[in-house]
Every structure is written in C-alpha cells, then in structure tokens.
Amino acid sequence: MKKIYLRLAGGLGNQIFQYTAALLIKKENDLIYFYTGALNSYKAGRSLELVNFFELSQTSYFNISFFANAVFKFRLAKITSFFGCNDLNFSSILSNKNTHQLKGSFYLDGYFQDAWSYEHIQPLLIQLSADLKKDQFNNEPYSQYDCIMHIRGSDFLANLDNSLNSVDFYIDAIKLLKSSYTITNIYVVTDDLQYSKSMLDTIKFNFKDINFSLDHERKSLFDDFMILLHAKSRIIGTSTFAWWASALDDKKSITISPKSWKLNCNRKLVLPWEKLVHSQH
C-alpha cells in the first residue's frame, strides 16, 4: 500500500483532472490525500469541490504529513520527477505502469490535462460516473430543452484564450447542431449572467426560430454541472467544468465544443460523442 498525495489547484474541472490522475496510479487499498493549500491563492476564490460531487472512497484530505506539505509548498514534485508526477512526465506515467509497484508515498503536482487520450481515460470515466452523486439532482424541469449551452465568463474574461469562446463559436456550433438535429429551445448555463445576456443578443439575432432561456438567478455549481450532464445535446466553450459534465454523461449525448482548449493548440483528448468547431473570424 502506498500513500498518494495530490496537490489540488483551480476549479472543479481542474480538480477532476487531477483526481483522475491519482486514480490512474492508485491500486487496491492505496490512499489518496488532498493538499488543498493552493486553493487559497486564487483571486476568484477556490475550494475543495470534489467532495460535493463524488463519493470519495479510500480518500482523505485532512491528514497531510509535514513532509508532504513541504513538497507541495516548495513545488518539489513540479520541479523534479524524483518525488512523483508532474505535467512534464505525466505522458510517461500514462504509458508506464511501474508506478503501481511503488511503495511508500507518491506526489502529484500538475494539471494533467494534455497527455490523456480517450483510451487512457475511458476506464476511469466509468469509476468517476459511478461515484458521482447523480441521485441528488432532479433534472425534470430541464428535460424539455433540446440543448443545454454553457457560456463561461467571470474571471475567464481576462484570459487571452477567451477568444475561443467568442460569439462566432456559438453561432457556428448551433449551425452545426441544427444540421443534424431539430433544435427549437436552448437553455443557457453560465457563471456570468450579464456577460451571457450580451452574447445572447447577438446569437438570438442569428436564430430567430430558437427560443433561448437564461435564468436571472445563479444556480449552484452542482446544479449547473448536472443540468449539463443530463442534456439531450450540449454546446460547451473552453471549460474543463463543462467538458467533465459531458464526459460523465452515460447517455453520451452529442456535444459541440471547441477544437482547442488553448490558442493555436489542438487538443488530444476528445470524446467520441464530441463534434469540434474551430472558429476564427
């Protein structure tokens, strides 16, 4: 048995990628320990979201050793692979299962997003889906909608990669979806109501035959995730939060999403039920 120490960073989408990397390494009775100190460093405010979404068996997030604290405080696992796994050596971890034979402690410090392929992650999706607290959500009020569309705003607006979430992307995505499906009503999930309203003014002008619904009250993060997960079809921007809701959908509903998560960098991890849009206007 070994102890797997995981440095959590970012919002829910990032945290699920990090937790999935730990699950890849975990065997049988291995324990996963969460280091949450980095979550306090974000201006937008981050917290341990995983416990609100998943039943985390064989996991602890209170008993971090003094040595593990030091490893993450000084980013030793990020600097060198001697202590465990980081973004630089994660691809070799994916292809080399020798980590399963390690005893003692193992440290993970990274975002672990870029090296996955669907073949790597698919077995772990089954476990994550089984652990997801789906029974705590009632989707009936949203089952009437043909499509759920996710628009990300807030702190992401300051990111240069936000151009990937342009109005043109959503227009092209709706056109692509309409080419194969009858779409008469779309429900918009967002973390930024004001920003979404301004985008929808332009989008609505291009699709006068579609009814767009946007709540004036912000729902919980859990509700937003579950609305996306249960969608009959969905359109998502550059958001690991929305992507994970798509990935954990057992129905595998058609998902229209950006070709890239970063500017000028096509992503490797694509779900079989995703259709990709690349908008540059």
Side-chain angles (χ1 to χ4, degrees):
M1 184 182 78
K2 63 179 176 290
K3 294 180 178 180
I4 300 171
Y5 291 100
L6 174 62
R7 180 184 183 271
L8 291 176
L12 176 67
N14 288 327
Q15 291 178 34
I16 301 177
F17 267 114
Q18 292 153 5
Y19 180 56
T20 305
L23 290 178
L24 175 77
I25 294 166
K26 181 183 180 299
K27 293 290 284 185
E28 298 176 357
N29 295 323
D30 293 348
L31 293 175
I32 299 174
Y33 293 83
F34 293 155
Y35 172 81
T36 60
L39 297 175
N40 300 323
S41 62
Y42 291 87
K43 290 182 179 179
R46 302 297 187 189
S47 60
L48 176 58
E49 296 288 355
L50 289 174
V51 294
N52 300 322
F53 287 78
F54 298 93
E55 299 291 348
L56 302 177
S57 58
Q58 299 293 324
T59 303
S60 172
Y61 42 93
F62 295 114
N63 302 314
I64 299 294
S65 69
F66 175 82
F67 185 75
N69 269 295
V71 168
F72 291 127
K73 180 178 180 180
F74 296 104
R75 308 300 300 275
L76 299 180
K78 179 182 179 181
I79 296 170
T80 172
S81 59
F82 176 81
F83 287 94
C85 183
N86 51 49
D87 286 322
L88 294 177
N89 72 339
F90 183 53
S91 58
S92 64
I93 297 291
L94 281 170
S95 59
N96 185 349
K97 302 302 182 182
N98 289 339
T99 54
H100 292 167
Q101 309 302 321
L102 294 176
K103 305 295 181 182
S105 299
F106 194 83
Y107 304 89
L108 293 98
D109 186 342
Y111 286 95
F112 309 119
Q113 295 179 12
D114 296 331
W116 297 99
S117 68
Y118 180 70
E119 290 70 26
H120 287 133
I121 210 167
Q122 193 270 340
L124 299 169
L125 293 180
I126 297 173
Q127 179 177 347
L128 287 167
S129 180
D131 293 339
L132 188 63
K133 299 178 180 180
K134 299 176 186 176
D135 58 346
Q136 297 184 14
F137 178 75
N138 176 23
N139 187 60
E140 186 175 351
Y142 310 98
S143 60
Q144 62 181 296
Y145 296 99
D146 303 313
C147 174
I148 306 297
M149 187 165 74
H150 180 254
I151 298 177
R152 181 177 177 183
S154 298
D155 62 308
F156 196 63
L157 297 178
N159 192 320
L160 291 176
D161 287 355
N162 185 55
S163 60
L164 298 170
N165 288 319
S166 67
V167 170
D168 294 317
F169 162 75
Y170 287 101
I171 291 173
D172 289 348
I174 294 171
K175 288 179 179 177
L176 178 59
L177 189 60
K178 285 189 66 179
S179 67
S180 301
Y181 299 89
T182 300
I183 304 297
T184 59
N185 48 30
I186 293 177
Y187 185 87
V188 179
V189 169
T190 183
D191 64 347
D192 192 327
L193 291 172
Q194 198 61 42
Y195 175 64
S196 295
K197 287 176 184 176
S198 64
M199 289 193 72
L200 282 176
D201 286 342
T202 302
I203 295 171
K204 287 178 179 179
F205 181 80
N206 289 269
F207 301 100
K208 296 182 180 179
D209 58 333
I210 297 178
N211 177 54
F212 293 85
S213 298
L214 175 65
D215 271 358
H216 294 284
E217 293 184 7
R218 177 74 199 281
K219 290 182 169 53
S220 70
L221 194 68
F222 181 83
D223 285 348
D224 284 352
F225 190 87
M226 290 300 171
I227 292 169
L228 281 163
L229 183 141
H230 287 91
K232 295 177 182 177
S233 66
R234 64 182 70 83
I235 295 171
I236 64 173
T238 308
S239 165
T240 56
F241 170 85
W243 185 88
W244 273 109
S246 310
L248 296 175
D249 172 17
D250 295 331
K251 305 185 309 302
K252 299 177 172 54
S253 298
I254 185 69
T255 301
I256 312 296
S257 52
K259 189 174 183 179
S260 303
W261 277 341
K262 301 174 183 176
L263 286 174
N264 303 315
C265 182
N266 293 343
R267 57 191 172 96
K268 178 181 178 182
L269 179 55
V270 178
L271 302 169
W273 52 97
E274 277 187 278
K275 289 187 177 182
L276 304 183
V277 170
H278 183 45
S279 296
Q280 284 188 340
H281 296 266

